[in-house]
Amino acid sequence: MDDLRDKYIQLIADAGEEAALEALRVQAVGKKGEISLKMRELGKMTPEERQVMGPKLNALKDEINSALSARKASLADAALEERLRGEWLDVTLPARGRRQGSIHPISQVREEVTAIFGEMGFSVAEGPQIDSDWYNFDALNIPSHHPARAEMDTFYMHRAEGDNRPPHVLRTHTSPVQIRSMEKQGAPIRIIAPGRVYRADYDQTHTPMFHQVEGLAIDKDISMAQLKWTLEEFLRAFFEVEGVELRFRASHFPFTEPSAEVDIRCSWEGGQLKVGEGDDWLEILGSGMVHPKVLEAGGIDPNAWQGFAFGIGIDRIAMLKYGIPDLRAFFDSDLRWLRHYGFGALQQPNLHGGLSG
């Protein structure tokens, strides 16, 4: 037994690689190894002999296994030390560059729009995206039979049986913010209301969720002339052109009277939009003087106050300014296309007149 122990302890100590250790393990304690075969002989021994030889063989097997594990760990440590001596790392080298994120066009254009109107004295107002149908429709003089109130156009919130609360909708415009602002601030008031809105529509120029900015100005003597000046100044700053020519076309919106669609002079030379020149006209927004019933709904006396309102699609003017052809690309495309249109993480205008980084 001692000779068998000394033999394998020496062989294990002399093994120079893991493959040799594995061969020794099989030779000693494998199914057909020398020690395993001797343990099978225990069945042929008398009880007295098994009481003596059994513990000795088990102890020998444990000792061989321990020696194998220790030698394996020693070989692994030696291999690591050898690798460390052969490899080195220069910690003074610069790190690998990281790809910068990109600001989304909608976020950038919202900042641009807010900054421009902020310079004209408009403050930003916000409101809930889920609102009652009173704020979304009734307060804005939209009658119950109007097509916009049909479920095919508007997302209505689910109501459990017995729920007697007023119907609620995903707002279809940011106009409810105008009503809430009039209720809270009264007149005079000058605000813009940017934010997400929702309508049941989806194609190249419509998505179920999109972004609007609406403007509201109420005072004693506000007129359509001031509305036209405000829009001209905004479009001149946004499109970064000096010559902006607008055309007002009579239209109808329940919440304004009179109402006007606003077109901007432009050209489409080579498929590229150029604002302020050419013989074409592009419809760009809706506007008008606030309807007296809307003023009343906001708690303002229409006999003492008057004002104008307008609504612009943020997604739409982003497409026009930056040449993005499909509205759906804002939401369901690989955002690597942002770099194609020049949107990066740095050098973007922000609300405070500086550059974000």
Side-chain angles (χ1 to χ4, degrees):
M1 190 77 69
D2 291 338
D3 292 342
L4 192 60
R5 173 192 174 280
D6 295 340
K7 169 187 172 182
Y8 281 108
I9 291 297
Q10 186 61 47
L11 289 173
I12 292 171
D14 294 339
E17 56 184 19
E18 288 192 22
L21 276 179
E22 177 61 18
L24 286 173
R25 185 193 69 79
V26 173
Q27 182 181 341
V29 295
K31 288 184 178 181
K32 296 183 180 181
E34 287 189 72
I35 297 174
S36 298
L37 291 175
K38 285 189 173 296
M39 294 187 74
R40 292 180 187 177
E41 295 176 359
L42 291 173
K44 301 177 183 179
M45 297 181 184
T46 63
E48 291 77 10
E49 290 175 328
R50 282 199 298 272
Q51 287 181 354
V52 175
M53 293 301 297
K56 289 184 178 181
L57 286 171
N58 281 324
L60 176 60
K61 182 178 180 180
D62 291 342
E63 186 176 1
I64 296 301
N65 282 326
S66 297
L68 287 167
S69 298
R71 183 57 179 164
K72 184 176 181 179
S74 176
L75 290 175
D77 291 342
L80 178 59
E81 290 181 7
E82 182 65 25
R83 182 181 174 188
L84 291 174
R85 283 194 296 268
E87 295 180 359
W88 59 279
L89 175 67
D90 187 351
V91 295
T92 66
L93 290 175
R96 294 175 181 174
R98 290 186 177 182
R99 290 178 59 182
Q100 295 178 333
S102 298
I103 186 170
H104 197 279
I106 298 302
S107 300
Q108 175 172 322
V109 169
R110 176 170 172 159
E111 286 278 338
E112 293 176 359
V113 169
T114 302
I116 293 169
F117 280 114
E119 292 180 353
M120 290 192 280
F122 287 81
S123 60
V124 176
E126 295 182 330
Q129 296 181 44
I130 299 175
D131 217 333
S132 70
D133 65 345
W134 187 87
Y135 279 104
N136 197 77
F137 294 122
D138 295 317
L140 295 164
N141 197 37
I142 299 176
S144 59
H145 61 271
H146 195 281
R149 302 185 74 151
E151 290 188 358
M152 68 180 65
D153 289 330
T154 298
F155 294 106
Y156 282 83
M157 306 305 294
H158 174 73
R159 300 175 70 191
E161 186 176 353
D163 187 347
N164 296 320
R165 292 177 299 174
H168 279 65
V169 301
L170 293 178
R171 66 183 183 188
T172 59
H173 41 197
T174 57
S175 301
V177 179
Q178 297 183 21
I179 301 297
R180 291 180 176 276
S181 297
M182 285 188 282
E183 287 179 336
K184 182 178 180 180
Q185 300 180 33
I189 188 174
R190 189 181 303 178
I191 62 163
I192 59 168
R196 295 184 182 93
V197 297
Y198 306 85
R199 296 180 191 175
D201 208 350
Y202 187 72
D203 57 34
Q204 186 174 357
T205 57
H206 300 87
T207 53
M209 186 278 289
F210 56 103
H211 303 80
Q212 277 188 343
V213 57
E214 297 191 8
L216 174 70
I218 297 174
D219 212 320
K220 294 288 187 179
D221 55 359
I222 286 183
S223 67
M224 289 284 285
Q226 291 166 319
L227 167 63
K228 186 172 185 290
W229 177 88
T230 299
L231 295 176
E232 285 177 343
E233 289 299 304
F234 165 70
L235 293 169
R236 182 179 292 112
F238 180 76
F239 286 109
E240 302 177 41
V241 294
E242 284 300 320
V244 170
E245 185 177 350
L246 299 184
R247 181 178 68 180
F248 278 47
R249 289 181 290 106
S251 186
H252 170 73
F253 304 117
F255 28 80
T256 52
E257 181 61 38
S259 303
E261 300 277 7
V262 180
D263 303 333
I264 189 170
R265 183 181 289 278
C266 65
S267 69
W268 291 96
E269 294 181 8
Q272 182 178 3
L273 174 67
K274 294 184 179 179
V275 172
E277 58 182 71
D279 298 322
D280 294 326
W281 293 92
L282 177 67
E283 180 185 319
I284 201 164
L285 59 95
S287 65
M289 299 298 291
V290 181
H291 198 288
K293 290 185 178 179
V294 176
L295 292 174
E296 289 179 351
I300 293 177
D301 183 0
N303 296 314
W305 304 91
Q306 62 188 38
F308 64 72
F310 57 84
I312 305 171
I314 293 178
D315 314 66
R316 176 170 170 76
I317 59 176
M319 293 170 67
L320 295 175
K321 181 172 182 177
Y322 295 105
I324 300 170
D326 193 322
L327 179 62
R328 293 169 292 188
F330 286 131
F331 309 105
D332 58 8
S333 292
D334 185 336
L335 293 185
R336 287 177 294 183
W337 63 268
L338 290 175
R339 290 190 295 277
H340 173 73
Y341 291 104
F343 292 91
L346 303 177
Q347 305 299 308
Q348 302 298 346
N350 60 39
L351 176 59
H352 307 293
L355 299 173
S356 62

